[in-house]
Amino acid sequence: MKQAILVSPKNIVFKDIEAPKAEELKAHQVLIRVMRIGICGSEIHSYHGLHPATFYPVVQGHEFSAVVVAVGEGVTCCKPGDNITARPQLVCGECGPCKRGQYNVCEHLRVEAFQANGVAQDYFVTTDDRVVVLPEGMSLDYGAMIEPSAVGAHATSRTDVKGKNVVVSGAGAIGNLVAQFCMARGANKVLITDISDLRLQKAKECGIPYTANVMQQPLKEAVKEVFGDEGYQVGFEVAGVESSVRSLMETIEKGSDIVIVAVFAKDPALSMFFLGEHELRLIGTMMYRHEDYETAVDFVSRGIIHLEPLISNRFAFEQYAEAYQYIDDNRASTMKVIIDVNS
């Protein structure tokens, strides 16, 4: 079978290896045929050598949908023929965070496509504790987008957004999904900002009514225009740039929460004055847990979360490098690129 490997920054090679066999499955293992793979922002960082925790060489792919081929002993969550996705987290189960249920921040966490090989190959073996079955009728493209949707589900569970005004800084795919989940969780008003009019238009297509291009209108003015004297009480930083964090800290209501979602290529210099004197809380968020995957599947299947406007382009498996080049050439307009493994 074919396999796509990022051997070093900007260097993807294809390798032929032997496919895993159904008869060799261990208990609780699931053999799947990979169908679609989404390219995420973190993998773009890896491709450019800017991700702080990518080990090269590494097989690509952690956002995916697949069809179950065979199951090992003890597997009850799925059966051959089911369409599924699965979490890419490999955890120890023994450390403090794992024992208290926070395995998404396992002390020994490895993530497929970063510290462990990913799913960019024809067939892959996963484990049943990470599998989520996709509802009948859900497209394989949407199945590959459950992973980023789960990021949005988890990030918006890190603080209480219900009844509050929210600013999401960064309208890429993750920012868009964070904003959609804020609305789904009962936020009062949600304003999403970016420097790309196209991304902001995509936000509107997904049902997010309030947008602002901060290259054309300062955040402070946009906040006043949308929220009036109410201001806003929750911010989500999804742009991954210093100016974005600083703007949120300087404009949010005192005593409020800012959730840091983005991966930063360079650590930002922040104002400790605003953090301390305004008694703000900067909250980290790391990936997701299984319940976030289940919430994402539920919300997507019921049409609460809209994914179709986020799909920018599709590429064949052999065009992996071309897909990254397309993203580089169309940074301002690209949301989600899908790899069709079996085209």
Side-chain angles (χ1 to χ4, degrees):
M1 67 175 182
K2 55 186 181 290
Q3 188 180 62
I5 307 170
L6 183 65
V7 296
S8 60
K10 295 187 177 183
N11 186 11
I12 293 177
V13 301
F14 295 92
K15 183 179 179 181
D16 287 321
I17 65 168
E18 186 176 352
K21 297 179 175 60
E23 58 270 23
E24 296 176 352
L25 288 176
K26 299 177 182 177
H28 299 290
Q29 288 187 331
V30 180
L31 174 61
I32 58 176
R33 181 184 182 191
V34 182
M35 302 301 289
R36 305 284 192 277
I37 298 172
I39 295 179
C40 85
S42 294
E43 285 176 313
I44 295 169
H45 283 305
S46 295
Y47 180 75
H48 288 279
L50 299 175
H51 194 283
T54 297
F55 301 160
Y56 305 94
V58 66
V59 178
Q60 294 275 274
H62 74 288
E63 303 178 359
F64 71 97
S65 60
V67 178
V68 176
V69 175
V71 299
E73 182 182 353
V75 175
T76 60
C77 66
C78 61
K79 63 185 184 303
D82 284 345
N83 288 348
I84 63 100
T85 186
R87 290 182 291 108
Q89 298 149 313
L90 304 177
V91 304
C92 74
E94 299 295 331
C95 66
C98 280
K99 288 181 178 178
R100 63 174 180 260
Q102 288 182 279
Y103 51 84
N104 59 309
V105 289
C106 169
E107 295 285 1
H108 307 286
L109 177 67
R110 293 183 300 142
V111 180
E112 290 165 354
F114 298 94
Q115 303 88 36
N117 284 335
V119 303
Q121 53 193 50
D122 292 301
Y123 295 93
F124 187 79
V125 175
T126 186
T127 53
D128 59 357
D129 59 316
R130 296 186 285 141
V131 166
V132 177
V133 176
L134 303 176
E136 185 175 348
M138 179 179 285
S139 77
L140 292 169
D141 285 352
Y142 287 8
M145 296 173 70
I146 293 302
E147 194 273 353
S149 299
V151 172
H154 186 72
T156 54
S157 73
R158 295 290 290 139
T159 185
D160 183 14
V161 300
K162 188 173 183 178
K164 297 179 181 178
N165 292 331
V166 177
V167 170
V168 177
S169 178
I174 296 295
N176 183 299
L177 290 164
V178 166
Q180 289 195 60
F181 270 98
C182 284
M183 295 170 61
R185 294 189 187 278
N188 182 33
K189 290 182 179 179
V190 178
L191 167 65
I192 190 167
T193 70
D194 205 277
I195 60 173
S196 165
D197 285 333
L198 186 142
R199 289 184 175 184
L200 296 173
Q201 178 57 40
K202 290 294 183 182
K204 289 185 177 295
E205 292 175 23
C206 290
I208 306 164
Y210 302 107
T211 65
N213 187 321
V214 290
M215 289 289 285
Q216 302 169 12
Q217 181 183 30
L219 179 58
K220 186 175 182 179
E221 290 182 10
V223 166
K224 183 67 174 178
E225 183 179 293
V226 173
F227 305 126
D229 293 335
E230 292 180 356
Y232 70 103
Q233 297 76 44
V234 179
F236 290 88
E237 202 301 302
V238 205
V241 293
E242 179 180 312
S243 59
S244 171
V245 191
R246 294 180 68 89
S247 292
L248 289 172
M249 292 176 67
E250 292 169 8
T251 58
I252 199 168
E253 184 177 286
K254 291 183 178 181
S256 295
D257 292 351
I258 298 173
V259 182
I260 307 298
V261 185
V263 173
F264 284 74
K266 180 181 178 181
D267 286 337
L270 303 180
S271 169
M272 292 299 102
F273 170 79
F274 282 103
L275 182 66
E277 298 298 319
H278 291 203
E279 202 168 79
L280 302 177
R281 292 198 303 173
L282 291 183
I283 301 172
T285 180
M286 176 58 175
M287 300 184 76
Y288 30 67
R289 294 196 280 270
H290 202 74
E291 60 265 29
D292 301 309
Y293 256 64
E294 293 173 334
T295 297
V297 168
D298 178 39
F299 282 20
V300 169
S301 66
R302 291 195 286 143
I304 297 171
I305 300 298
H306 305 284
L307 298 180
E308 187 60 35
L310 302 183
I311 301 175
S312 301
N313 209 338
R314 297 172 178 84
F315 289 84
F317 186 82
E318 295 78 7
Q319 296 176 303
Y320 234 112
E322 288 92 332
Y324 278 113
Q325 189 59 55
Y326 172 85
I327 293 168
D328 281 351
D329 292 342
N330 299 275
R331 281 296 181 94
S333 60
T334 299
M335 301 292 283
K336 178 59 61 179
V337 169
I338 301 289
I339 300 293
D340 188 342
V341 179
N342 288 280
S343 62

